[in-house]
Amino acid sequence: MYYPQSWSRTVIRFSVYLGGSLIVGIYLDNIALAILLAFGALLASNYVHLYRLTKWLWQSRTMSPPSAPGIWHHIYEGIYHLQRRNRNKRKNLGELVKRFREGSEALPDAVVVIDRNARIVWCNRNARIELGLRWPDDNGRRIDNLIRHPKFIEYLEGSDFQYPIEIPAPTNPLKTFEYRIMQYGEDQLLLIVRDVSRVSHLEEMRKDFVANVSHELKTPLTVINGYLEVLDSSYGEAPPIVSKAISEMGTQTHRMQSLIEDLLILSRIESSAERIFENTVDMQAMFKQISIEAEALNKEKQHHISFNVDSELVVYGVETELRSACSNLIFNAIHYTPQHGKIEVVWKSRANGAYFAVIDNGDGIEDKHLRRLTERFYRVDKARSRKTGGSGLGLSIVKHVLHHHNSTLEIESKVGKGSEFSFLLPQELIKQHDGA
Ligand code: ADP
């Protein structure tokens, strides 16, 4: 404990000491010598205490300070107090670290703490088992020297940790691990690795199942459709009920065929490994082709369709996928806009990318539906969609195509006014002109 009066006591004690030596000096008739001796003794005594203090600080194993008189007692007490405070802090910190480590050890995931130079600071038991890290041998080693998958290295160097990545496990290629990196503390990163083999296996099975079933259904439907066409032409004079049945069966098989086509497109896009940077897409030619198809579809509704296309704007991407996305949005506008509507298709360059939009003045969509529109088989008005022959997969296909092209579908709609479906392909996908 610090006593402020200890200094005044020291000053009093020093004054008494000085006074005593003065009296001795007067008595011996040599004041200078007496004061010199008094200061010499004081200095020697302080040196002895300094020596004891240094010895206690550096050599003694005991925490409790040696006894000392006067101000030295307070210095010892002060240092002792500081030491105790630090020891308690260290203990609390140690407890905290211990609890954090115990918590991380209990996690079912592999956890690795790395510094900003990608050097391992700490890892839990699961990281040693699943990632093959050795502790403490790998302490301070670069994580990218131990997990050498190119996708992981790219992820680590990219410093965009918004989404996790999935790659085969380093210790067992049959397992799939999800790697997620998070900022941790000031300049550390937390790598969390989770075994997602089961989930990705189930996802694979689901995709394969849908693709296989759709493929298997194609052949019988083609056969049925073939026979229906034969029946339709051979029974021209059949009773009305028969020709109605044949025509209805024909319509329904066509619907099923287009549903299967869409399911196959969707599963192809979902599992597409095609690189979007490999080929450029001639968007102008693509829009020309789509406009011919749109005109054919527009015969009944007689909309005014305008294409406002920037012919210079060429992008990298997968042509079949972009064609599918754009045509789905354009054909939807034709289907869901009442007769003699106005539809505008825009393809132009913007400061932050290539912009595509389909704007119609149709009935619009209520807010509550907008969020769910891109779900598979979600329809605002089921009966109406069936009438248009829609499979309910169109916007889902668009969503997947755009995800593959690092973009998202934006939908703005006002009931009674119309809708705008748009997306922005990122700047990196725009092909720069030679010399630009
Ligand atoms: P569908 O095959 O039924 O057209 P989509 O996934 O393409 O399926 O569209 C989902 C639903 O979104 C449609 O059923 C329709 O209700 C609504 N929709 C899509 N485009 C438009 C549009 N331009 N105007 C109004 N509603 C639309």
Side-chain angles (χ1 to χ4, degrees), residues 262 328-329 332-337 360 362-365 373-375 377-381 385-386 388-396 413 419 421:
D262 278 356
N328 259 307
L329 294 176
N332 268 354
I334 296 174
H335 285 312
Y336 297 107
T337 303
D360 66 50
D363 296 337
I365 308 156
L373 275 193
T374 54
E375 286 175 20
F377 300 113
Y378 188 85
R379 286 134 166 165
V380 175
D381 179 347
S385 293
R386 263 189 213 114
T388 65
S391 64
L393 293 170
L395 293 182
S396 196
S413 193
S419 316
F421 288 74

PDB file of all heavy atoms in Angstrom, residues 262 328-329 332-337 360 362-365 373-375 377-381 385-386 388-396 413 419 421, ligand 1:
ATOM      1  N   ASP A 262     -35.932 -28.196 -69.471  1.00  0.00           N
ATOM      2  CA  ASP A 262     -35.489 -27.198 -68.486  1.00  0.00           C
ATOM      3  C   ASP A 262     -34.765 -27.852 -67.315  1.00  0.00           C
ATOM      4  O   ASP A 262     -33.775 -27.325 -66.815  1.00  0.00           O
ATOM      5  CB  ASP A 262     -36.681 -26.380 -67.969  1.00  0.00           C
ATOM      6  CG  ASP A 262     -37.043 -25.262 -68.939  1.00  0.00           C
ATOM      7  OD1 ASP A 262     -36.314 -25.101 -69.934  1.00  0.00           O
ATOM      8  OD2 ASP A 262     -38.045 -24.573 -68.706  1.00  0.00           O
ATOM      9  N   ASN A 328     -34.960 -16.530 -71.451  1.00  0.00           N
ATOM     10  CA  ASN A 328     -35.983 -16.795 -70.439  1.00  0.00           C
ATOM     11  C   ASN A 328     -36.626 -15.500 -69.967  1.00  0.00           C
ATOM     12  O   ASN A 328     -37.847 -15.420 -69.829  1.00  0.00           O
ATOM     13  CB  ASN A 328     -35.345 -17.493 -69.228  1.00  0.00           C
ATOM     14  CG  ASN A 328     -35.614 -18.983 -69.265  1.00  0.00           C
ATOM     15  OD1 ASN A 328     -36.752 -19.396 -69.370  1.00  0.00           O
ATOM     16  ND2 ASN A 328     -34.562 -19.773 -69.203  1.00  0.00           N
ATOM     17  N   LEU A 329     -35.791 -14.471 -69.723  1.00  0.00           N
ATOM     18  CA  LEU A 329     -36.329 -13.202 -69.216  1.00  0.00           C
ATOM     19  C   LEU A 329     -37.177 -12.508 -70.278  1.00  0.00           C
ATOM     20  O   LEU A 329     -38.241 -11.966 -69.986  1.00  0.00           O
ATOM     21  CB  LEU A 329     -35.181 -12.282 -68.758  1.00  0.00           C
ATOM     22  CG  LEU A 329     -34.379 -12.791 -67.547  1.00  0.00           C
ATOM     23  CD1 LEU A 329     -33.221 -11.856 -67.236  1.00  0.00           C
ATOM     24  CD2 LEU A 329     -35.286 -12.914 -66.320  1.00  0.00           C
ATOM     25  N   ASN A 332     -40.418 -14.529 -70.836  1.00  0.00           N
ATOM     26  CA  ASN A 332     -41.334 -14.328 -69.692  1.00  0.00           C
ATOM     27  C   ASN A 332     -42.087 -13.019 -69.854  1.00  0.00           C
ATOM     28  O   ASN A 332     -43.289 -12.940 -69.605  1.00  0.00           O
ATOM     29  CB  ASN A 332     -40.538 -14.263 -68.385  1.00  0.00           C
ATOM     30  CG  ASN A 332     -40.419 -15.626 -67.729  1.00  0.00           C
ATOM     31  OD1 ASN A 332     -41.013 -16.590 -68.194  1.00  0.00           O
ATOM     32  ND2 ASN A 332     -39.659 -15.704 -66.663  1.00  0.00           N
ATOM     33  N   ALA A 333     -41.345 -11.961 -70.259  1.00  0.00           N
ATOM     34  CA  ALA A 333     -42.005 -10.651 -70.428  1.00  0.00           C
ATOM     35  C   ALA A 333     -43.116 -10.766 -71.478  1.00  0.00           C
ATOM     36  O   ALA A 333     -44.203 -10.200 -71.314  1.00  0.00           O
ATOM     37  CB  ALA A 333     -40.975  -9.611 -70.831  1.00  0.00           C
ATOM     38  N   ILE A 334     -42.839 -11.536 -72.549  1.00  0.00           N
ATOM     39  CA  ILE A 334     -43.871 -11.711 -73.593  1.00  0.00           C
ATOM     40  C   ILE A 334     -45.083 -12.455 -73.020  1.00  0.00           C
ATOM     41  O   ILE A 334     -46.230 -12.053 -73.197  1.00  0.00           O
ATOM     42  CB  ILE A 334     -43.288 -12.468 -74.811  1.00  0.00           C
ATOM     43  CG1 ILE A 334     -42.180 -11.630 -75.448  1.00  0.00           C
ATOM     44  CG2 ILE A 334     -44.386 -12.815 -75.819  1.00  0.00           C
ATOM     45  CD1 ILE A 334     -41.433 -12.315 -76.573  1.00  0.00           C
ATOM     46  N   HIS A 335     -44.781 -13.537 -72.252  1.00  0.00           N
ATOM     47  CA  HIS A 335     -45.875 -14.353 -71.709  1.00  0.00           C
ATOM     48  C   HIS A 335     -46.727 -13.598 -70.696  1.00  0.00           C
ATOM     49  O   HIS A 335     -47.934 -13.724 -70.679  1.00  0.00           O
ATOM     50  CB  HIS A 335     -45.303 -15.584 -70.993  1.00  0.00           C
ATOM     51  CG  HIS A 335     -44.809 -16.625 -71.939  1.00  0.00           C
ATOM     52  ND1 HIS A 335     -45.550 -17.056 -73.008  1.00  0.00           N
ATOM     53  CD2 HIS A 335     -43.656 -17.352 -71.950  1.00  0.00           C
ATOM     54  CE1 HIS A 335     -44.869 -17.977 -73.657  1.00  0.00           C
ATOM     55  NE2 HIS A 335     -43.703 -18.184 -73.037  1.00  0.00           N
ATOM     56  N   TYR A 336     -46.044 -12.829 -69.804  1.00  0.00           N
ATOM     57  CA  TYR A 336     -46.777 -12.269 -68.658  1.00  0.00           C
ATOM     58  C   TYR A 336     -47.183 -10.810 -68.845  1.00  0.00           C
ATOM     59  O   TYR A 336     -47.561 -10.143 -67.889  1.00  0.00           O
ATOM     60  CB  TYR A 336     -45.954 -12.445 -67.375  1.00  0.00           C
ATOM     61  CG  TYR A 336     -45.743 -13.907 -67.059  1.00  0.00           C
ATOM     62  CD1 TYR A 336     -44.505 -14.512 -67.231  1.00  0.00           C
ATOM     63  CD2 TYR A 336     -46.827 -14.696 -66.647  1.00  0.00           C
ATOM     64  CE1 TYR A 336     -44.324 -15.860 -66.978  1.00  0.00           C
ATOM     65  CE2 TYR A 336     -46.651 -16.044 -66.401  1.00  0.00           C
ATOM     66  CZ  TYR A 336     -45.395 -16.619 -66.567  1.00  0.00           C
ATOM     67  OH  TYR A 336     -45.238 -17.954 -66.336  1.00  0.00           O
ATOM     68  N   THR A 337     -47.099 -10.299 -70.090  1.00  0.00           N
ATOM     69  CA  THR A 337     -47.586  -8.944 -70.340  1.00  0.00           C
ATOM     70  C   THR A 337     -48.855  -9.053 -71.187  1.00  0.00           C
ATOM     71  O   THR A 337     -48.859  -9.773 -72.186  1.00  0.00           O
ATOM     72  CB  THR A 337     -46.509  -8.118 -71.091  1.00  0.00           C
ATOM     73  OG1 THR A 337     -45.325  -8.123 -70.300  1.00  0.00           O
ATOM     74  CG2 THR A 337     -46.945  -6.689 -71.335  1.00  0.00           C
ATOM     75  N   ASP A 360     -40.915  -4.408 -68.886  1.00  0.00           N
ATOM     76  CA  ASP A 360     -42.234  -4.544 -69.529  1.00  0.00           C
ATOM     77  C   ASP A 360     -43.246  -3.671 -68.807  1.00  0.00           C
ATOM     78  O   ASP A 360     -42.999  -3.199 -67.696  1.00  0.00           O
ATOM     79  CB  ASP A 360     -42.667  -6.016 -69.556  1.00  0.00           C
ATOM     80  CG  ASP A 360     -42.916  -6.594 -68.180  1.00  0.00           C
ATOM     81  OD1 ASP A 360     -43.649  -5.964 -67.405  1.00  0.00           O
ATOM     82  OD2 ASP A 360     -42.356  -7.666 -67.872  1.00  0.00           O
ATOM     83  N   GLY A 362     -46.277  -4.813 -68.059  1.00  0.00           N
ATOM     84  CA  GLY A 362     -47.313  -5.805 -67.762  1.00  0.00           C
ATOM     85  C   GLY A 362     -47.982  -5.563 -66.426  1.00  0.00           C
ATOM     86  O   GLY A 362     -47.916  -4.458 -65.871  1.00  0.00           O
ATOM     87  N   ASP A 363     -48.571  -6.634 -65.867  1.00  0.00           N
ATOM     88  CA  ASP A 363     -49.350  -6.497 -64.632  1.00  0.00           C
ATOM     89  C   ASP A 363     -48.490  -6.283 -63.400  1.00  0.00           C
ATOM     90  O   ASP A 363     -48.976  -5.854 -62.360  1.00  0.00           O
ATOM     91  CB  ASP A 363     -50.210  -7.758 -64.426  1.00  0.00           C
ATOM     92  CG  ASP A 363     -51.238  -7.896 -65.539  1.00  0.00           C
ATOM     93  OD1 ASP A 363     -51.558  -6.869 -66.161  1.00  0.00           O
ATOM     94  OD2 ASP A 363     -51.696  -9.030 -65.784  1.00  0.00           O
ATOM     95  N   GLY A 364     -47.218  -6.615 -63.495  1.00  0.00           N
ATOM     96  CA  GLY A 364     -46.346  -6.468 -62.324  1.00  0.00           C
ATOM     97  C   GLY A 364     -46.547  -7.605 -61.325  1.00  0.00           C
ATOM     98  O   GLY A 364     -47.466  -8.431 -61.466  1.00  0.00           O
ATOM     99  N   ILE A 365     -45.690  -7.640 -60.332  1.00  0.00           N
ATOM    100  CA  ILE A 365     -45.732  -8.736 -59.344  1.00  0.00           C
ATOM    101  C   ILE A 365     -45.758  -8.117 -57.954  1.00  0.00           C
ATOM    102  O   ILE A 365     -45.047  -7.150 -57.671  1.00  0.00           O
ATOM    103  CB  ILE A 365     -44.461  -9.625 -59.474  1.00  0.00           C
ATOM    104  CG1 ILE A 365     -44.282 -10.071 -60.917  1.00  0.00           C
ATOM    105  CG2 ILE A 365     -44.527 -10.823 -58.554  1.00  0.00           C
ATOM    106  CD1 ILE A 365     -42.857 -10.435 -61.268  1.00  0.00           C
ATOM    107  N   LEU A 373     -39.329 -15.691 -56.233  1.00  0.00           N
ATOM    108  CA  LEU A 373     -39.535 -15.956 -57.662  1.00  0.00           C
ATOM    109  C   LEU A 373     -38.517 -16.913 -58.277  1.00  0.00           C
ATOM    110  O   LEU A 373     -38.849 -17.662 -59.194  1.00  0.00           O
ATOM    111  CB  LEU A 373     -39.494 -14.643 -58.454  1.00  0.00           C
ATOM    112  CG  LEU A 373     -40.785 -13.848 -58.562  1.00  0.00           C
ATOM    113  CD1 LEU A 373     -40.632 -12.779 -59.608  1.00  0.00           C
ATOM    114  CD2 LEU A 373     -41.969 -14.732 -58.908  1.00  0.00           C
ATOM    115  N   THR A 374     -37.254 -16.864 -57.776  1.00  0.00           N
ATOM    116  CA  THR A 374     -36.226 -17.689 -58.422  1.00  0.00           C
ATOM    117  C   THR A 374     -36.180 -19.115 -57.855  1.00  0.00           C
ATOM    118  O   THR A 374     -35.333 -19.904 -58.254  1.00  0.00           O
ATOM    119  CB  THR A 374     -34.839 -17.052 -58.275  1.00  0.00           C
ATOM    120  OG1 THR A 374     -34.603 -16.817 -56.900  1.00  0.00           O
ATOM    121  CG2 THR A 374     -34.716 -15.757 -59.045  1.00  0.00           C
ATOM    122  N   GLU A 375     -37.095 -19.419 -56.920  1.00  0.00           N
ATOM    123  CA  GLU A 375     -37.141 -20.805 -56.427  1.00  0.00           C
ATOM    124  C   GLU A 375     -37.708 -21.708 -57.511  1.00  0.00           C
ATOM    125  O   GLU A 375     -38.565 -21.275 -58.298  1.00  0.00           O
ATOM    126  CB  GLU A 375     -38.070 -20.896 -55.201  1.00  0.00           C
ATOM    127  CG  GLU A 375     -37.475 -20.322 -53.958  1.00  0.00           C
ATOM    128  CD  GLU A 375     -38.480 -20.333 -52.814  1.00  0.00           C
ATOM    129  OE1 GLU A 375     -39.458 -21.100 -52.864  1.00  0.00           O
ATOM    130  OE2 GLU A 375     -38.274 -19.541 -51.891  1.00  0.00           O
ATOM    131  N   PHE A 377     -39.978 -24.043 -59.436  1.00  0.00           N
ATOM    132  CA  PHE A 377     -41.427 -24.275 -59.523  1.00  0.00           C
ATOM    133  C   PHE A 377     -42.266 -23.239 -58.774  1.00  0.00           C
ATOM    134  O   PHE A 377     -43.428 -23.456 -58.505  1.00  0.00           O
ATOM    135  CB  PHE A 377     -41.789 -25.688 -59.020  1.00  0.00           C
ATOM    136  CG  PHE A 377     -41.121 -26.768 -59.802  1.00  0.00           C
ATOM    137  CD1 PHE A 377     -40.161 -27.589 -59.224  1.00  0.00           C
ATOM    138  CD2 PHE A 377     -41.432 -26.968 -61.141  1.00  0.00           C
ATOM    139  CE1 PHE A 377     -39.520 -28.573 -59.955  1.00  0.00           C
ATOM    140  CE2 PHE A 377     -40.798 -27.953 -61.881  1.00  0.00           C
ATOM    141  CZ  PHE A 377     -39.836 -28.757 -61.292  1.00  0.00           C
ATOM    142  N   TYR A 378     -41.650 -22.115 -58.397  1.00  0.00           N
ATOM    143  CA  TYR A 378     -42.458 -21.088 -57.742  1.00  0.00           C
ATOM    144  C   TYR A 378     -43.142 -20.256 -58.819  1.00  0.00           C
ATOM    145  O   TYR A 378     -42.507 -19.744 -59.730  1.00  0.00           O
ATOM    146  CB  TYR A 378     -41.579 -20.179 -56.869  1.00  0.00           C
ATOM    147  CG  TYR A 378     -42.415 -19.223 -56.036  1.00  0.00           C
ATOM    148  CD1 TYR A 378     -42.930 -19.613 -54.813  1.00  0.00           C
ATOM    149  CD2 TYR A 378     -42.729 -17.946 -56.512  1.00  0.00           C
ATOM    150  CE1 TYR A 378     -43.722 -18.762 -54.068  1.00  0.00           C
ATOM    151  CE2 TYR A 378     -43.525 -17.091 -55.770  1.00  0.00           C
ATOM    152  CZ  TYR A 378     -44.018 -17.505 -54.559  1.00  0.00           C
ATOM    153  OH  TYR A 378     -44.823 -16.655 -53.824  1.00  0.00           O
ATOM    154  N   ARG A 379     -44.460 -20.164 -58.679  1.00  0.00           N
ATOM    155  CA  ARG A 379     -45.204 -19.336 -59.637  1.00  0.00           C
ATOM    156  C   ARG A 379     -46.144 -18.434 -58.884  1.00  0.00           C
ATOM    157  O   ARG A 379     -46.722 -18.825 -57.875  1.00  0.00           O
ATOM    158  CB  ARG A 379     -46.044 -20.205 -60.568  1.00  0.00           C
ATOM    159  CG  ARG A 379     -45.224 -20.915 -61.603  1.00  0.00           C
ATOM    160  CD  ARG A 379     -45.685 -22.304 -61.643  1.00  0.00           C
ATOM    161  NE  ARG A 379     -45.205 -23.003 -62.822  1.00  0.00           N
ATOM    162  CZ  ARG A 379     -45.265 -24.301 -62.896  1.00  0.00           C
ATOM    163  NH1 ARG A 379     -45.747 -24.999 -61.904  1.00  0.00           N
ATOM    164  NH2 ARG A 379     -44.827 -24.904 -63.963  1.00  0.00           N
ATOM    165  N   VAL A 380     -46.325 -17.234 -59.429  1.00  0.00           N
ATOM    166  CA  VAL A 380     -47.245 -16.294 -58.784  1.00  0.00           C
ATOM    167  C   VAL A 380     -48.663 -16.791 -58.983  1.00  0.00           C
ATOM    168  O   VAL A 380     -49.453 -16.891 -58.050  1.00  0.00           O
ATOM    169  CB  VAL A 380     -47.071 -14.880 -59.394  1.00  0.00           C
ATOM    170  CG1 VAL A 380     -48.098 -13.919 -58.831  1.00  0.00           C
ATOM    171  CG2 VAL A 380     -45.655 -14.389 -59.149  1.00  0.00           C
ATOM    172  N   ASP A 381     -48.964 -17.148 -60.216  1.00  0.00           N
ATOM    173  CA  ASP A 381     -50.312 -17.607 -60.541  1.00  0.00           C
ATOM    174  C   ASP A 381     -50.153 -18.932 -61.284  1.00  0.00           C
ATOM    175  O   ASP A 381     -49.831 -18.961 -62.470  1.00  0.00           O
ATOM    176  CB  ASP A 381     -50.989 -16.537 -61.419  1.00  0.00           C
ATOM    177  CG  ASP A 381     -52.394 -16.922 -61.826  1.00  0.00           C
ATOM    178  OD1 ASP A 381     -52.752 -18.112 -61.647  1.00  0.00           O
ATOM    179  OD2 ASP A 381     -53.125 -16.048 -62.325  1.00  0.00           O
ATOM    180  N   SER A 385     -49.539 -19.644 -65.333  1.00  0.00           N
ATOM    181  CA  SER A 385     -48.242 -20.125 -65.798  1.00  0.00           C
ATOM    182  C   SER A 385     -48.396 -21.394 -66.617  1.00  0.00           C
ATOM    183  O   SER A 385     -47.711 -21.608 -67.603  1.00  0.00           O
ATOM    184  CB  SER A 385     -47.320 -20.406 -64.622  1.00  0.00           C
ATOM    185  OG  SER A 385     -47.012 -19.215 -63.996  1.00  0.00           O
ATOM    186  N   ARG A 386     -49.345 -22.240 -66.142  1.00  0.00           N
ATOM    187  CA  ARG A 386     -49.544 -23.486 -66.890  1.00  0.00           C
ATOM    188  C   ARG A 386     -50.040 -23.177 -68.292  1.00  0.00           C
ATOM    189  O   ARG A 386     -49.663 -23.805 -69.259  1.00  0.00           O
ATOM    190  CB  ARG A 386     -50.561 -24.361 -66.144  1.00  0.00           C
ATOM    191  CG  ARG A 386     -49.825 -25.357 -65.313  1.00  0.00           C
ATOM    192  CD  ARG A 386     -50.686 -26.406 -64.701  1.00  0.00           C
ATOM    193  NE  ARG A 386     -50.092 -26.743 -63.433  1.00  0.00           N
ATOM    194  CZ  ARG A 386     -50.653 -26.516 -62.274  1.00  0.00           C
ATOM    195  NH1 ARG A 386     -51.836 -25.979 -62.207  1.00  0.00           N
ATOM    196  NH2 ARG A 386     -50.029 -26.840 -61.176  1.00  0.00           N
ATOM    197  N   THR A 388     -49.386 -20.656 -70.059  1.00  0.00           N
ATOM    198  CA  THR A 388     -48.308 -20.167 -70.919  1.00  0.00           C
ATOM    199  C   THR A 388     -47.336 -21.296 -71.269  1.00  0.00           C
ATOM    200  O   THR A 388     -46.432 -21.112 -72.077  1.00  0.00           O
ATOM    201  CB  THR A 388     -47.484 -19.063 -70.230  1.00  0.00           C
ATOM    202  OG1 THR A 388     -46.825 -19.639 -69.112  1.00  0.00           O
ATOM    203  CG2 THR A 388     -48.320 -17.902 -69.798  1.00  0.00           C
ATOM    204  N   GLY A 389     -47.508 -22.441 -70.600  1.00  0.00           N
ATOM    205  CA  GLY A 389     -46.629 -23.590 -70.889  1.00  0.00           C
ATOM    206  C   GLY A 389     -45.324 -23.507 -70.127  1.00  0.00           C
ATOM    207  O   GLY A 389     -44.395 -24.261 -70.379  1.00  0.00           O
ATOM    208  N   GLY A 390     -45.256 -22.591 -69.162  1.00  0.00           N
ATOM    209  CA  GLY A 390     -44.025 -22.427 -68.379  1.00  0.00           C
ATOM    210  C   GLY A 390     -43.759 -23.617 -67.470  1.00  0.00           C
ATOM    211  O   GLY A 390     -44.691 -24.216 -66.932  1.00  0.00           O
ATOM    212  N   SER A 391     -42.480 -23.938 -67.301  1.00  0.00           N
ATOM    213  CA  SER A 391     -42.127 -25.080 -66.464  1.00  0.00           C
ATOM    214  C   SER A 391     -41.968 -24.664 -64.999  1.00  0.00           C
ATOM    215  O   SER A 391     -41.914 -25.508 -64.117  1.00  0.00           O
ATOM    216  CB  SER A 391     -40.811 -25.675 -66.962  1.00  0.00           C
ATOM    217  OG  SER A 391     -39.780 -24.717 -66.787  1.00  0.00           O
ATOM    218  N   GLY A 392     -41.856 -23.374 -64.739  1.00  0.00           N
ATOM    219  CA  GLY A 392     -41.622 -22.922 -63.359  1.00  0.00           C
ATOM    220  C   GLY A 392     -40.147 -22.968 -63.016  1.00  0.00           C
ATOM    221  O   GLY A 392     -39.746 -22.777 -61.870  1.00  0.00           O
ATOM    222  N   LEU A 393     -39.316 -23.234 -64.029  1.00  0.00           N
ATOM    223  CA  LEU A 393     -37.869 -23.340 -63.770  1.00  0.00           C
ATOM    224  C   LEU A 393     -37.083 -22.196 -64.398  1.00  0.00           C
ATOM    225  O   LEU A 393     -35.884 -22.066 -64.167  1.00  0.00           O
ATOM    226  CB  LEU A 393     -37.337 -24.668 -64.331  1.00  0.00           C
ATOM    227  CG  LEU A 393     -37.850 -25.931 -63.641  1.00  0.00           C
ATOM    228  CD1 LEU A 393     -37.440 -27.151 -64.431  1.00  0.00           C
ATOM    229  CD2 LEU A 393     -37.316 -26.022 -62.232  1.00  0.00           C
ATOM    230  N   GLY A 394     -37.781 -21.379 -65.191  1.00  0.00           N
ATOM    231  CA  GLY A 394     -37.090 -20.341 -65.964  1.00  0.00           C
ATOM    232  C   GLY A 394     -36.199 -19.437 -65.121  1.00  0.00           C
ATOM    233  O   GLY A 394     -34.999 -19.311 -65.373  1.00  0.00           O
ATOM    234  N   LEU A 395     -36.764 -18.827 -64.077  1.00  0.00           N
ATOM    235  CA  LEU A 395     -35.985 -17.876 -63.280  1.00  0.00           C
ATOM    236  C   LEU A 395     -34.925 -18.588 -62.434  1.00  0.00           C
ATOM    237  O   LEU A 395     -33.900 -18.011 -62.094  1.00  0.00           O
ATOM    238  CB  LEU A 395     -36.903 -17.029 -62.395  1.00  0.00           C
ATOM    239  CG  LEU A 395     -37.828 -16.072 -63.160  1.00  0.00           C
ATOM    240  CD1 LEU A 395     -38.660 -15.237 -62.204  1.00  0.00           C
ATOM    241  CD2 LEU A 395     -37.022 -15.150 -64.075  1.00  0.00           C
ATOM    242  N   SER A 396     -35.213 -19.856 -62.133  1.00  0.00           N
ATOM    243  CA  SER A 396     -34.210 -20.645 -61.407  1.00  0.00           C
ATOM    244  C   SER A 396     -32.982 -20.868 -62.293  1.00  0.00           C
ATOM    245  O   SER A 396     -31.835 -20.772 -61.839  1.00  0.00           O
ATOM    246  CB  SER A 396     -34.860 -21.970 -61.037  1.00  0.00           C
ATOM    247  OG  SER A 396     -34.134 -22.602 -60.084  1.00  0.00           O
ATOM    248  N   SER A 413     -40.556  -4.515 -59.482  1.00  0.00           N
ATOM    249  CA  SER A 413     -41.875  -4.661 -60.085  1.00  0.00           C
ATOM    250  C   SER A 413     -42.915  -3.861 -59.315  1.00  0.00           C
ATOM    251  O   SER A 413     -42.834  -3.733 -58.093  1.00  0.00           O
ATOM    252  CB  SER A 413     -42.247  -6.142 -60.096  1.00  0.00           C
ATOM    253  OG  SER A 413     -43.358  -6.329 -60.915  1.00  0.00           O
ATOM    254  N   SER A 419     -42.746  -4.686 -64.840  1.00  0.00           N
ATOM    255  CA  SER A 419     -41.599  -5.271 -64.133  1.00  0.00           C
ATOM    256  C   SER A 419     -40.305  -4.986 -64.887  1.00  0.00           C
ATOM    257  O   SER A 419     -40.299  -4.751 -66.095  1.00  0.00           O
ATOM    258  CB  SER A 419     -41.741  -6.789 -64.038  1.00  0.00           C
ATOM    259  OG  SER A 419     -43.033  -7.141 -63.672  1.00  0.00           O
ATOM    260  N   PHE A 421     -36.555  -6.875 -65.007  1.00  0.00           N
ATOM    261  CA  PHE A 421     -35.635  -7.945 -64.604  1.00  0.00           C
ATOM    262  C   PHE A 421     -34.271  -7.566 -65.179  1.00  0.00           C
ATOM    263  O   PHE A 421     -34.145  -7.365 -66.384  1.00  0.00           O
ATOM    264  CB  PHE A 421     -36.072  -9.300 -65.181  1.00  0.00           C
ATOM    265  CG  PHE A 421     -37.313  -9.859 -64.528  1.00  0.00           C
ATOM    266  CD1 PHE A 421     -38.562  -9.328 -64.801  1.00  0.00           C
ATOM    267  CD2 PHE A 421     -37.216 -10.919 -63.637  1.00  0.00           C
ATOM    268  CE1 PHE A 421     -39.704  -9.835 -64.190  1.00  0.00           C
ATOM    269  CE2 PHE A 421     -38.345 -11.432 -63.029  1.00  0.00           C
ATOM    270  CZ  PHE A 421     -39.600 -10.893 -63.301  1.00  0.00           C
TER     271      PHE A 421
HETATM  272  P1  ADP B   1     -42.593 -20.019 -65.512  1.00  0.00           P
HETATM  273  O1  ADP B   1     -42.092 -21.173 -66.265  1.00  0.00           O
HETATM  274  O2  ADP B   1     -43.833 -20.313 -64.725  1.00  0.00           O
HETATM  275  O3  ADP B   1     -42.664 -18.786 -66.319  1.00  0.00           O
HETATM  276  P2  ADP B   1     -40.377 -18.726 -64.212  1.00  0.00           P
HETATM  277  O4  ADP B   1     -39.414 -19.245 -63.211  1.00  0.00           O
HETATM  278  O5  ADP B   1     -39.837 -18.265 -65.513  1.00  0.00           O
HETATM  279  O6  ADP B   1     -41.478 -19.838 -64.365  1.00  0.00           O
HETATM  280  O7  ADP B   1     -41.161 -17.519 -63.559  1.00  0.00           O
HETATM  281  C1  ADP B   1     -41.694 -17.649 -62.244  1.00  0.00           C
HETATM  282  C2  ADP B   1     -42.919 -16.775 -62.090  1.00  0.00           C
HETATM  283  O8  ADP B   1     -42.528 -15.405 -62.108  1.00  0.00           O
HETATM  284  C3  ADP B   1     -43.905 -16.919 -63.213  1.00  0.00           C
HETATM  285  O9  ADP B   1     -44.793 -17.968 -62.960  1.00  0.00           O
HETATM  286  C4  ADP B   1     -44.600 -15.569 -63.217  1.00  0.00           C
HETATM  287  O10 ADP B   1     -45.678 -15.609 -62.297  1.00  0.00           O
HETATM  288  C5  ADP B   1     -43.574 -14.618 -62.670  1.00  0.00           C
HETATM  289  N1  ADP B   1     -42.973 -13.787 -63.740  1.00  0.00           N
HETATM  290  C6  ADP B   1     -41.830 -14.013 -64.403  1.00  0.00           C
HETATM  291  N2  ADP B   1     -41.550 -13.034 -65.280  1.00  0.00           N
HETATM  292  C7  ADP B   1     -42.567 -12.137 -65.162  1.00  0.00           C
HETATM  293  C8  ADP B   1     -42.878 -10.876 -65.782  1.00  0.00           C
HETATM  294  N3  ADP B   1     -42.086 -10.334 -66.719  1.00  0.00           N
HETATM  295  N4  ADP B   1     -44.003 -10.246 -65.375  1.00  0.00           N
HETATM  296  C9  ADP B   1     -44.781 -10.771 -64.428  1.00  0.00           C
HETATM  297  N5  ADP B   1     -44.565 -11.947 -63.802  1.00  0.00           N
HETATM  298  C10 ADP B   1     -43.459 -12.616 -64.159  1.00  0.00           C
END
